[in-house]
Amino acid sequence: MDAISLSVERGEFLAVLGPSGCGKSTLLQMAAGLLPVTSGTITLNNQTVTAPPPEAVYIFQQYTRSLLPWRNVRDNVAFAIEHRVGRRRAREAADEPLAQVGLRGFGDHYPWQLSGGMQQRVAIARALAAEPALLLMDEPFSAVDALTRLDLHALILDIWSRRNLTAMLVTHDVEEAIYLADRIALLTARPARVAEVIETGLPRPRDPIATREHPRFLELRAALLARLLTRHVA
Amino acid sequence: MWRERLLVPVPGLLVLAALLAGIEAAVDAGLVRRALLPPPSVIGARLWDLLLSGEVLPPLLQTLGLVFTGFAIGTAIGVALGVAMGWWPAAFRLLEPLVELIRPIPKSALVPALMLFLGIGWTMKVTSVALVVIFPVLLNTLQGVRGVDRVMLDAARTHGWPTRHILLHLVLPAALPFILAGMRISLGLAMVLAVLSEMLSGGGGLGFLILDMQRSFRIRDMYAWLVVLAVVGLALNALFLAAERRALHWQPNARR
């Protein structure tokens, strides 16, 4: 990674798009305070990030590994705040985010009893329970099937706009980046640099069919794919 | 379904019955000297007397108390050291040479030395049991703690969990399958050291009785107490397995 300068405005949805293995996840983990930076700084609300900041929550690609298998769904959501408010109050507070991700009534299930998409919903509910201002998402939709992915896109957009969140999404999926984001930062392969930052300029609310047929969407997709593919060959 | 499961142990029990009948016949036929091995029926009768008179209870409780106390203390120390060594590299570098030095010593060989310091009473016996329990628990805990998924730990960190909370509510439960595996090894060793230290210290208990009966030529009694000991081991193991299944109910392959 080399000389990356990137900023996310409050309330914005930023996608970081790049080829596999270019260091997108590393970048996001540093932004989340999960990895130390070797040089340079990360700032959040004018404060340098050295440890995971309370206003940011990271959503992982590997939902099966980020949930605790010995805890049921409710206790996995309570995970977000139990160390601050105690296990009992955290449990009581879990129902609302669970309802928001469409998992009302699944509190007593264990993760292994749920499909992949539902497990990622649990992880999203857990993130919401922490009432973050900033969502950091590391390819959270790459391990689910295509239809489930569309469902989760709608869910994330809904939550993002209703809660006025700021979102940073790392992905290698061009369509996903265009569909969700306000701006796309295109990274180059190693060493990773910001090649370009593009405003998507697509109207909101986004629609799974209409938005994907929008001329601007098609234009962006062609341009971004072309750039990713040529770089891949070279 | 339950009927089939009830039939599962039948072949094994038949082998056992055949063996006992064979020994009985061999002793009756004079192939084995009665003084060395009384027929199982005679041992059984003696065992029955021990049970009916309640004579079995005090030594049994004494040995069980010793095993449980030593096991609990050794497990607590082993888990604590294992977590510390698995979590803090400094603790590992500090303690690893010591652990590697003491671990290979058969702990039975340390009993005479322990007697010098602690006498031949309860303290010495509990210490020797605890000492043998520590190491398998420690090593398994260490391995379990190191194997905790990075992603799970990061999830706790991104939600701001303090270290204490991470250790208690994430690392320990995640390492539990390993800890329990270590405890199961230790349980068997605890029995061995309990019996041995009772034999060496002579203060009662099943181990003491087995040796004492042999020395006073009460061979029937010796075998009867041996059977008691075998049943204790069997029961402890079954109890442990049930507790383990309960603790790991969330593991898909633990459900049967």
Side-chain angles (χ1 to χ4, degrees):
Chain A
M1 217 175 289
D2 185 33
I4 287 194
S5 175
L6 202 55
S7 64
V8 196
E9 301 301 317
R10 188 181 298 274
E12 183 189 31
F13 203 126
L14 175 79
V16 177
L17 180 66
S20 294
C22 78
K24 315 185 285 290
S25 296
T26 309
L27 179 68
L28 196 68
Q29 283 180 27
M30 292 193 294
L34 292 173
L35 268 185
V37 284
T38 44
S39 67
T41 50
I42 311 271
T43 56
L44 177 64
N45 297 334
N46 298 319
Q47 288 195 309
T48 307
V49 172
T50 48
E55 51 276 73
V57 165
Y58 195 96
I59 297 179
F60 299 85
Q61 176 184 12
Q62 311 98 325
Y63 47 83
T64 42
R65 289 164 56 195
S66 88
L67 299 177
L68 310 189
W70 59 87
R71 288 193 176 194
N72 65 23
V73 165
R74 183 175 297 108
D75 287 350
N76 261 297
V77 175
F79 181 101
I81 53 169
E82 64 180 44
H83 54 292
R84 282 189 261 135
V85 304
R87 184 73 77 87
R88 235 191 51 178
R89 284 187 53 199
R91 264 192 200 131
E92 286 163 8
D95 285 336
E96 196 250 306
L98 273 176
Q100 219 177 103
V101 301
L103 287 178
R104 195 194 299 275
F106 283 93
D108 294 324
H109 285 62
Y110 281 84
W112 56 269
Q113 294 172 307
L114 305 179
S115 69
M118 287 162 95
Q119 288 183 38
Q120 193 57 297
R121 279 170 191 268
V122 175
I124 294 169
R126 179 176 70 182
L128 294 181
E131 310 213 328
L134 173 62
L135 275 186
L136 300 167
M137 294 175 279
D138 180 13
E139 307 195 19
F141 316 117
S142 62
V144 296
D145 65 83
L147 280 176
T148 307
R149 191 174 310 148
L150 295 188
D151 281 347
L152 291 176
H153 285 165
L155 175 70
I156 279 292
L157 282 180
D158 177 54
I159 288 166
W160 168 74
S161 66
R162 267 208 283 172
R163 296 205 173 199
N164 292 316
L165 297 177
T166 305
M168 186 169 168
L169 168 79
V170 152
T171 181
H172 58 250
D173 182 336
V174 171
E175 292 197 21
E176 179 172 281
I178 305 169
Y179 181 72
L180 294 174
D182 295 317
R183 284 193 305 150
I184 298 171
L186 181 68
L187 295 193
T188 59
R190 273 172 282 192
R193 282 201 200 87
V194 181
E196 198 176 349
V197 180
I198 304 158
E199 299 264 351
T200 56
L202 286 162
R204 289 189 191 272
R206 307 265 160 102
D207 179 88
I209 298 162
T211 300
R212 282 185 165 78
E213 289 173 342
H214 197 283
R216 173 69 179 154
F217 184 96
L218 299 175
E219 175 199 342
L220 279 173
R221 189 180 66 173
L224 288 169
L225 267 178
R227 298 199 52 170
L228 282 172
L229 288 174
T230 49
R231 194 160 297 115
H232 226 67
V233 176
Chain B
M1 189 57 192
W2 63 269
R3 245 179 227 191
E4 281 169 31
R5 287 185 55 174
L6 223 55
L7 289 176
V8 170
V10 167
L13 290 176
L14 284 177
V15 170
L16 198 63
L19 185 68
L20 287 177
I23 294 173
E24 184 91 26
V27 177
D28 282 344
L31 294 172
V32 183
R33 281 175 57 194
R34 267 174 181 268
L36 302 184
L37 179 61
S41 59
V42 175
I43 297 170
R46 180 67 193 124
L47 186 62
W48 188 243
D49 289 343
L50 290 177
L51 290 173
L52 279 190
S53 64
E55 214 179 313
V56 71
L57 230 45
L60 178 65
L61 291 179
Q62 186 178 342
T63 301
L64 279 180
L66 173 57
V67 170
F68 275 129
T69 314
F71 187 62
I73 294 173
T75 298
I77 297 174
V79 169
L81 287 178
V83 168
M85 289 173 71
W87 188 257
W88 291 287
F92 181 80
R93 286 200 302 273
L94 202 64
L95 296 174
E96 201 244 2
L98 180 68
V99 168
E100 284 308 308
L101 186 73
I102 304 179
R103 190 171 66 93
I105 305 175
K107 300 305 168 294
S108 45
L110 293 178
V111 175
L114 287 177
M115 288 165 95
L116 292 180
F117 285 92
L118 303 170
I120 54 168
W122 172 249
T123 317
M124 182 280 289
K125 288 188 256 184
V126 170
T127 307
S128 44
V129 173
L131 203 58
V132 80
V133 169
I134 289 175
F135 291 90
V137 174
L138 190 160
L139 290 181
N140 275 270
T141 306
L142 179 66
Q143 199 190 347
V145 169
R146 285 187 168 168
V148 177
D149 200 310
R150 198 71 246 159
V151 173
M152 221 183 257
L153 287 172
D154 276 346
R157 289 174 62 214
T158 190
H159 284 99
W161 278 26
T163 303
R164 205 184 108 87
H165 204 77
I166 291 181
L167 288 180
L168 282 179
H169 296 283
L170 198 152
V171 170
L172 268 185
L176 191 62
F178 289 84
I179 297 174
L180 288 169
M183 286 171 74
R184 202 154 84 206
I185 300 169
S186 287
L187 186 61
L189 295 171
M191 290 282 292
V192 173
L193 261 286
V195 166
L196 182 81
S197 61
E198 282 174 348
M199 283 179 172
L200 291 177
S201 70
L206 296 178
F208 166 75
L209 278 172
I210 288 169
L211 186 65
D212 194 46
M213 294 296 124
Q214 187 253 9
R215 283 178 172 165
S216 34
F217 301 107
R218 290 164 66 181
I219 302 304
R220 279 187 317 165
D221 295 74
M222 183 194 82
Y223 283 110
W225 286 112
L226 200 55
V227 175
V228 173
L229 193 60
V231 173
V232 167
L234 208 65
L236 283 182
N237 207 47
L239 206 68
F240 189 85
L241 282 179
E244 187 177 32
R245 207 165 306 153
R246 219 182 135 83
L248 300 182
H249 67 95
W250 49 272
Q251 280 193 331
N253 56 3
R255 274 177 299 273
R256 292 262 173 121

